[in-house]
């Protein structure tokens, strides 16, 4: 059943909580640069995630681990300059918050001050409780991230579905409730069984955004390069490609090369 949408001129953390309470699904996509963020924002997205996935899709790294805080601030700054409506959430990169709550606060303050982002996102539950408390106490909104946590990939050793076993599923539920209790405004659940994600979403009052977590959550997030088909090497079950830009762009660029080589471009009408 469709739900009437409230017309938000600017999305805030409060807006997202209202949307969950009203049964309106939340749309979220990544963006890493000004031009893409402008398009995504104009199209009506609710939340833009400046994800540490920039390490993969923008820089070509195998994992999210190499990206630095300075690089995240650069990407976030570019996105913020383009956005008029969406809430901009910025990932804290690996190594900037895990070991020391004071370092977590310093990293978060840098992101907020230097990029103009609206909130930060951290991976983990009970293990990073003190870091989350420190950031929240400074008045910085925090979004959690549970399930498959890519910054811990070498600990897990695989990108397969998480929390299929009862013990891990129970810990995830308890961590989600903890994040809500601490004061997080929302939570991303990545690559976990749909029934578990639905249970989590029903158990807490803050919005739960899924990626590979089924349709029973409060919203969805995808990496923009994946959903537009710019990346043709990544095909998980949860990904729906809305375009095939890889093929379209390759064809257009090949045509440009041919036109230059044949002196067809520029033609008479394209010259001064």
């Amino acid at each position: 059943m469709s739900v009437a949408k409230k017309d938000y001129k600017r999305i805030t953390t409060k807006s997202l909580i209202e949307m969950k309470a009203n049964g309106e699904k939340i749309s979220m996509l990544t963006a890493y640069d000004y031009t893409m963020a402008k398009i995504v924002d104009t199209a009506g997205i609710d939340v833009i995630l400046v994800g540490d996935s920039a390490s993969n899709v923008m820089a070509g790294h195998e994992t999210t681990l190499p990206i630095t805080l300075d690089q995240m601030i650069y990407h976030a700054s570019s996105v913020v300059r383009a956005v008029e409506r969406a809430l901009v959430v910025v990932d804290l990169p690996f190594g900037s918050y895990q070991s020391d709550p004071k370092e977590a606060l310093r990293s978060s303050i840098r992101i907020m001050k230097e990029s103009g982002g609206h909130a930060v996102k951290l991976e983990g539950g009970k293990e990073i409780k003190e870091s989350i408390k420190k950031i929240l106490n400074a008045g910085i909104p925090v979004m959690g991230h549970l399930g498959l946590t890519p910054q811990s990939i070498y600990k897990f050793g695989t990108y397969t579905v998480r929390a299929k076993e009862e013990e891990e599923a129970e810990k995830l539920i308890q961590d989600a409730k903890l994040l809500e209790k601490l004061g997080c405004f929302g939570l991303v659940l990545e690559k976990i069984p749909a029934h578990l994600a639905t249970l989590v979403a029903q158990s807490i009052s803050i919005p739960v955004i899924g990626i590979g977590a089924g349709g029973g959550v409060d919203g969805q997030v995808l990496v923009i390069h994946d959903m537009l088909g710019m990346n043709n090497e990544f095909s998980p079950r949860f990904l729906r490609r809305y375009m095939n830009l890889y093929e379209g762009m390759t064809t257009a660029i090949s045509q440009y090369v041919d036109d230059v080589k044949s002196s067809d471009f520029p033609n008479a009408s394209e010259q001064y």
Side-chain angles (χ1 to χ4, degrees):
M1 184 178 71
S2 63
V3 177
K5 296 197 305 180
K6 180 177 175 179
D7 183 22
Y8 290 100
K9 286 188 165 57
R10 187 93 203 199
I11 302 294
T12 65
T13 56
K14 182 173 179 288
S15 308
L16 301 183
I17 292 170
E18 284 181 358
M19 290 166 78
K20 170 162 181 158
N22 294 333
E24 180 183 343
K25 297 286 190 178
I26 298 163
S27 60
M28 184 172 176
L29 282 170
T30 65
Y32 317 98
D33 64 86
Y34 177 89
T35 303
M36 189 70 83
K38 192 78 172 174
I39 295 169
V40 171
D41 187 57
T42 301
I45 207 75
D46 297 315
V47 185
I48 292 178
L49 173 64
V50 185
D52 57 4
S53 47
S55 180
N56 308 106
V57 299
M58 300 298 287
H61 294 295
E62 185 179 359
T63 71
T64 61
L65 274 63
I67 200 164
T68 67
L69 183 59
D70 285 340
Q71 290 167 335
M72 288 301 303
I73 290 170
Y74 166 80
H75 286 295
S77 301
S78 302
V79 167
V80 168
R81 283 191 287 270
V83 170
E84 295 182 5
R85 179 182 179 273
L87 181 78
V88 179
V89 179
V90 185
D91 271 343
L92 280 174
F94 177 72
S96 68
Y97 65 92
Q98 287 94 339
S99 62
D100 180 6
K102 291 181 180 179
E103 179 67 19
L105 178 57
R106 283 192 293 270
S107 301
S108 300
I109 289 173
R110 281 200 62 200
I111 283 176
M112 301 297 282
K113 284 176 70 72
E114 296 177 38
S115 79
H118 308 141
V120 297
K121 181 168 75 65
L122 295 73
E123 294 183 5
K126 184 179 178 181
E127 317 81 48
I128 58 165
K129 177 177 72 171
E130 296 306 318
S131 290
I132 292 174
K133 286 167 63 176
K134 198 85 171 172
I135 298 167
L136 287 169
N137 285 341
I140 299 171
V142 173
M143 175 174 264
H145 184 143
L146 299 173
L148 176 64
T149 48
Q151 290 180 9
S152 303
I153 186 57
Y154 289 124
K155 173 185 173 183
F156 293 142
T158 175
Y159 285 104
T160 55
V161 177
R162 304 302 310 171
K164 289 191 291 187
E165 303 300 326
E166 185 176 348
E167 183 179 353
E168 188 178 353
E170 182 58 33
K171 181 183 185 305
L172 187 144
I173 293 169
Q174 294 307 314
D175 277 341
K177 291 179 177 179
L178 172 64
L179 293 176
E180 177 186 32
K181 184 178 179 182
L182 288 173
C184 293
F185 72 86
L187 169 64
V188 169
L189 290 181
E190 182 168 357
K191 213 166 182 184
I192 67 170
H195 69 88
L196 176 60
T198 301
L199 176 61
V200 171
Q202 293 172 346
S203 300
I204 59 178
S205 61
I206 59 175
V208 175
I209 311 298
I211 176 166
V217 290
D218 305 303
Q220 300 292 330
V221 60
L222 286 174
V223 171
I224 187 76
H225 292 66
D226 298 338
M227 66 84 66
L228 290 178
M230 296 173 75
N231 177 4
N232 68 342
E233 299 172 349
F234 184 63
S235 299
R237 182 189 300 184
F238 65 78
L239 173 61
R240 181 184 294 181
R241 284 195 173 91
Y242 285 80
M243 294 186 76
N244 186 350
L245 279 187
Y246 183 90
E247 183 176 310
M249 291 171 72
T250 302
T251 300
I253 293 166
S254 296
Q255 184 63 57
Y256 169 75
V257 171
D258 290 344
D259 290 350
V260 170
K261 297 289 187 182
S262 66
S263 297
D264 181 70
F265 176 79
N267 61 31
S269 66
E270 295 162 334
Q271 302 181 52
Y272 296 100

